[in-house]
Amino acid sequence: MTIEKIRKDIHNNMGNVAVITHNEGRNKVLEYEGKVIEVYRNIFVIMDKGSKRSFSYYDVLTDTTKVSFKL
């Protein structure tokens, strides 16, 4: 998988609900659920319970962040 494919997949699911699992290290894993509201060249933004959270495509590529979509 490439960054371009990841960017395209997230862009195609803009407005859909995403479940983000982010590995913070040292056994700390955080999970967010929200709509993809913005897509930029290096990052994408989700709205999670009234707050915005941004994630990079590189983190998705390296499996630090996992993204799945609810349709």
Side-chain angles (χ1 to χ4, degrees):
M1 187 170 276
T2 65
I3 289 181
E4 288 299 321
K5 180 166 178 6
I6 294 167
R7 184 180 298 132
K8 186 176 178 180
D9 287 344
I10 292 173
H11 186 343
N12 289 340
N13 285 293
M14 195 163 157
N16 292 336
V17 176
V19 177
I20 312 289
T21 306
H22 184 70
N23 186 349
E24 293 278 323
R26 297 223 178 226
N27 298 324
K28 187 174 182 182
V29 177
L30 302 175
E31 188 170 295
Y32 305 102
E33 184 174 328
K35 284 189 178 185
V36 179
I37 58 169
E38 298 172 12
V39 177
Y40 296 106
R41 187 175 190 283
N42 295 319
I43 63 167
F44 61 98
V45 181
I46 66 165
M47 180 66 79
D48 174 45
K49 298 177 187 168
S51 64
K52 291 183 180 179
R53 306 220 182 250
S54 63
F55 301 94
S56 75
Y57 302 115
Y58 184 75
D59 287 342
V60 177
L61 181 68
T62 59
D63 287 334
T64 303
T65 302
K66 297 187 187 303
V67 180
S68 60
F69 293 99
K70 290 185 177 180
L71 299 175

